[in-house]
Amino acid sequence: MQLVGIVVFASVMATLGFQVLVQTIEKLIANETPIKMNSEQLVWLHSIMLFATVVKLALWLYCRTFRNKIVRAYAEEHYFDVITNIVGLVVAVLGDKYYWRVDPVGAAILAIYTILNRSGTVRENAVSLVGQSASPEMLQKLTYLVIRHDPQIKRVDTVRAYTLGFLYFVESLQIRIEELSEVERAFVHLDFKCDHKPEHSILSKLPNDRA
């Protein structure tokens, strides 16, 4: 459910980024000079944006101290907010003080950055939800643990691992493998020979009575 929440949130942010991009393009096409902010509005703008940036920066530094992938994802989110807040504040001030087009152009750049960043987040996490195979490095680590588990183990037929959110489902030894922080649950499969075809072959067509 955590990954589902990340996918939904990233999708919403990408959609909002697209809406901001459309609005900035419309503003540039209209070519209407906006009213400049007064001193009080500038103070509020600087205060709110700087306060939010400092808070996000502190949260980013704090979350970076954890090894948990979920907390690391929060750290990336806070880092993204720090960048967008700083750039947004700079272009807003420059646009108000010098040339008004700086503000919408900066907003368009941030919108494109948001769309690309959130689209990548959706793609990365959506793949983890569909049971993607673990990386070769992870499979090598699991295979090494299996072959070194007991002297009676002569060969390792197959080690499979599938994504389950941030963690993995593994078909292999149980207690030893489940001690790994990346593994959610391990399944044991004991075979009497190693020179056979892979199990669970997928039928290429339906049986005749189901065609």
Side-chain angles (χ1 to χ4, degrees):
M1 293 305 296
Q2 291 170 333
L3 277 183
V4 172
I6 292 174
V7 170
V8 172
F9 177 75
S11 300
V12 171
M13 291 299 294
T15 303
L16 293 176
F18 180 75
Q19 292 178 346
V20 171
L21 180 61
V22 171
Q23 291 176 357
T24 54
I25 293 175
E26 292 176 346
K27 188 174 182 179
L28 289 171
I29 293 175
N31 198 26
E32 297 178 356
T33 304
I35 301 174
K36 288 184 175 293
M37 291 183 287
N38 57 41
S39 58
E40 183 179 354
Q41 291 173 327
L42 287 173
V43 170
W44 277 105
L45 173 65
H46 294 168
S47 301
I48 294 174
M49 294 296 290
L50 289 175
F51 177 77
T53 302
V54 170
V55 171
K56 285 293 183 178
L57 181 61
L59 290 174
W60 171 57
L61 294 174
Y62 175 71
C63 291
R64 286 184 64 218
T65 61
F66 292 84
R67 293 185 177 182
N68 185 281
K69 290 186 177 181
I70 298 174
V71 181
R72 286 279 184 172
Y74 294 150
E76 293 179 3
E77 176 66 27
H78 297 316
Y79 178 76
F80 175 83
D81 290 339
V82 169
I83 297 300
T84 54
N85 286 347
I86 293 175
V87 176
L89 178 60
V90 170
V91 297
V93 172
L94 292 178
D96 182 76
K97 189 173 183 179
Y98 297 105
Y99 188 49
W100 70 271
R101 288 180 180 272
V102 174
D103 190 12
V105 169
I109 294 174
L110 286 177
I112 294 173
Y113 175 66
T114 301
I115 294 171
L116 295 176
N117 183 278
R118 298 310 181 188
S119 298
T121 301
V122 171
R123 182 172 61 254
E124 177 183 352
N125 290 278
V127 169
S128 299
L129 289 172
V130 297
Q132 184 187 35
S133 176
S135 65
E137 293 77 14
M138 183 64 187
L139 293 175
Q140 289 174 3
K141 180 194 294 186
L142 297 172
T143 304
Y144 176 79
L145 288 177
V146 172
I147 199 68
R148 295 293 301 272
H149 178 68
D150 192 283
Q152 299 181 62
I153 297 177
K154 304 302 181 184
R155 297 181 183 179
V156 177
D157 184 8
T158 305
V159 175
R160 295 187 177 94
Y162 316 97
T163 56
L164 180 70
F166 290 111
L167 304 178
Y168 296 100
F169 266 1
V170 181
E171 295 182 10
S172 184
L173 303 174
Q174 186 174 3
I175 297 176
R176 184 77 176 275
I177 297 298
E178 288 181 351
E179 291 177 352
L180 295 174
S181 60
E182 302 97 333
V183 177
E184 171 68 19
R185 184 169 299 175
F187 299 89
V188 179
H189 179 94
L190 182 62
D191 209 340
F192 64 93
K193 59 180 180 179
C194 298
D195 56 348
H196 57 79
K197 295 181 179 179
E199 299 95 341
H200 310 299
S201 298
I202 300 175
L203 294 177
S204 60
K205 60 180 180 179
L206 291 173
N208 294 330
D209 58 348
R210 297 290 301 277

